[in-house]
Amino acid sequence: MSWSRPEVPHLIGHGPTPRLWDTASQSFVEAASPSGPSLYVCGITPYDATHLGHAATYLAYDTLIRLWLDAGQDVAYVQNVTDVDDPLLERAAATGVDWRALAASQVDLFRTDMESLSIIPPDNYVAVTESTDAIAAAVEQLLANGDAYRLGPDIYFDSAAAGASSPWHLGEISRLDRDTMLALSAERGGDPGTFGKRDPLDPVLWRGERPGEPSWPGGTVGPGRPGWHIECSVIAREFLHLPMTVQGGGHDLVFPHHEYTAAHTAALIGHPHAELYVHTGLVAYEGQKMSKSLGNLVLVSQLTAAGVDPRAIRLALLAHHYREDWEWTDAVLTDALERLARWREMPPGELADPLREILSHDLDTPGALAYIDTAGVVDRTAISALLGVDLG
Ligand code: 5CA
Ligand code: ZN
């Protein structure tokens, strides 16, 4: 179900365990777990093609996986596909395409783009539509424990009850004040204005069946479809030992998505969802966040179809620190093409240890590129293993 794995050469010796900035503790934390590193990265909602913002996000976690592998660790990696959700259903209805066909075609394009960029695939690439029974069972458990309640045809998470009875409290991951939470909830798929909720921030766990919308039987919870955050909590628990080492995604997911994903996991299993919550910056284009809803997209597939070397796309993205918000421009691509050409002409040298050291400090890819530029030599094996750029 995922895509083919690029070849990652082994280097002599091992690099250090990477340290990353953790959003929840607001500090640098060594990304390690007793049972070995594990990673869940929030996957696409497949209603439009992969843009460079997605590519930058998945490339950041690809870099993390390369560092773990180089540190001699086996990595367990899961990614979801939100293949049923409001924006997907709305786009399908607006364009007269079956929602399943729309999702399948966009997931196919995503796989092709990830493959062309040599991005390491997840071990489990899991669609929400494959997980509806497990999600319904989790919602049933939350209802039984008093951490959820029914409101008309829908089931909501009870933030106050879960905050009192589990190791999570509201704000634990995002550390935001309530007004900001309310604003972000309204902006990012929540429904703070829905009448009758115990707390306007309470997110939907299970949306009861509506005419014209897809639904699943749901057992005792009744027919309907999954809410957003419960999907990632349940899929992570099915395939990873929790707490996982790193929960990842773009920083647009800090609130409400990762706040409530962590809340659901804590309420379901009584311990934390992840050791670290790591967030990538957002790539903008023409002055605004590159997003499917705004339509200001630069697609990986457009660039490769125009003959741009995928290695240059990788270098363009790696030239920005993963936590930075930045803007894609023609100059970013021109610089990357020049760097690729320059590196291909440079004589060989030994760079594995300094590159390992630089990258282990919060994935400092711009630092690594600058180091190679200054050294004036290239270590082809180290660059291929750690940066995923094969200089041939
Ligand atoms: N399906 C959910 C996550 S469960 C979702 O957010 N899908 S998405 O298609 O909107 O985004 C997929 C991933 O790309 C998320 O991790 C998101 O944070 C990230 N992302 C979206 N837009 C950008 C952008 N402009 N720059 C960087 N990353 C982005
Ligand atoms: Zn998610």
Side-chain angles (χ1 to χ4, degrees):
M1 222 327 232
S2 72
W3 55 94
S4 71
R5 197 177 172 88
E7 206 171 308
V8 181
H10 284 283
L11 303 178
I12 296 164
H14 289 305
T17 303
R19 295 176 77 78
L20 300 173
W21 182 258
D22 169 38
T23 303
S25 66
Q26 292 283 298
S27 63
F28 292 103
V29 178
E30 188 166 285
S33 295
S35 55
S38 53
L39 171 69
Y40 183 102
V41 181
C42 282
I44 58 164
T45 305
Y47 66 92
D48 214 332
T50 326
H51 59 65
L52 287 169
H54 300 133
T57 287
Y58 298 111
L59 180 57
Y61 299 101
D62 168 273
T63 307
L64 172 60
I65 293 169
R66 288 169 187 274
L67 295 182
W68 273 333
L69 293 174
D70 181 56
Q73 312 259 9
D74 274 334
V75 185
Y77 176 25
V78 176
Q79 192 181 126
N80 67 307
V81 187
T82 308
D83 62 347
V84 57
D85 198 11
D86 299 341
L88 170 71
L89 298 174
E90 283 158 19
R91 177 66 63 91
T95 52
V97 181
D98 180 77
W99 63 275
R100 280 159 293 221
L102 175 61
S105 66
Q106 297 311 314
V107 169
D108 264 352
L109 281 176
F110 177 69
R111 287 198 195 97
T112 311
D113 290 346
M114 291 295 105
E115 207 166 292
S116 78
L117 292 177
S118 304
I119 290 185
I120 296 173
D123 305 303
N124 294 99
Y125 190 42
V126 188
V128 177
T129 52
E130 302 173 294
S131 314
T132 51
D133 288 349
I135 294 169
V139 175
E140 183 179 356
Q141 187 192 329
L142 290 170
L143 270 175
N145 293 352
D147 290 327
Y149 57 95
R150 290 185 183 271
L151 183 63
D154 306 321
I155 300 171
Y156 280 88
F157 186 68
D158 189 327
S159 307
S165 65
S166 82
W168 165 87
H169 63 269
L170 183 60
E172 167 147 2
I173 311 304
S174 61
R175 297 165 154 257
L176 297 169
D177 61 66
R178 204 176 158 80
D179 285 345
T180 310
M181 288 184 192
L182 282 165
L184 289 177
S185 166
E187 228 173 82
R188 299 176 177 169
D191 62 343
T194 297
F195 184 74
K197 294 206 289 181
R198 293 181 185 167
D199 181 332
L201 290 172
D202 290 345
V204 70
L205 290 165
W206 191 258
R207 182 174 154 84
E209 187 173 34
R210 305 282 200 285
E213 288 186 14
S215 79
W216 285 263
T220 63
V221 303
R225 60 181 167 96
W228 180 24
H229 322 307
I230 191 69
E231 124 193 11
C232 287
S233 170
V234 168
I235 293 172
R237 182 169 52 129
E238 287 236 299
F239 294 95
L240 296 174
H241 178 82
L242 301 184
M244 68 179 77
T245 315
V246 169
Q247 164 70 62
H251 76 59
D252 57 332
L253 300 186
V254 173
F255 192 91
H257 187 51
H258 290 161
E259 185 73 50
Y260 279 106
T261 302
H264 296 342
T265 299
L268 285 163
I269 65 176
H271 62 79
H273 178 76
E275 311 272 7
L276 284 84
Y277 296 83
V278 173
H279 293 105
T280 54
L282 298 182
V283 181
Y285 184 56
E286 294 173 338
Q288 276 182 297
K289 169 190 156 180
M290 205 180 277
S291 81
K292 292 177 281 206
S293 46
L294 293 171
N296 58 335
L297 307 179
V298 179
L299 307 181
V300 174
S301 52
Q302 280 168 349
L303 294 175
T304 52
V308 176
D309 189 324
R311 296 174 298 179
I313 304 175
R314 262 188 99 98
L315 285 176
L317 303 174
L318 291 169
H320 300 84
H321 190 263
Y322 79 92
R323 284 196 285 122
E324 186 190 321
D325 289 334
W326 58 280
E327 180 156 358
W328 178 267
T329 61
D330 290 344
V332 170
L333 182 58
T334 310
D335 287 353
L337 287 162
E338 279 170 16
R339 178 174 267 134
L340 179 62
R342 206 162 62 236
W343 284 10
R344 294 189 69 191
E345 299 304 317
M346 284 193 325
E350 260 292 333
L351 300 178
D353 284 334
L355 290 181
R356 282 167 160 157
E357 182 59 29
I358 293 167
L359 290 167
S360 71
H361 294 281
D362 204 25
L363 315 181
D364 183 7
T365 57
L369 303 197
Y371 186 87
I372 298 166
D373 289 340
T374 308
V377 295
V378 283
D379 183 332
R380 289 187 158 70
T381 319
I383 290 172
S384 170
L386 302 172
L387 297 175
V389 175
D390 187 351
L391 295 172

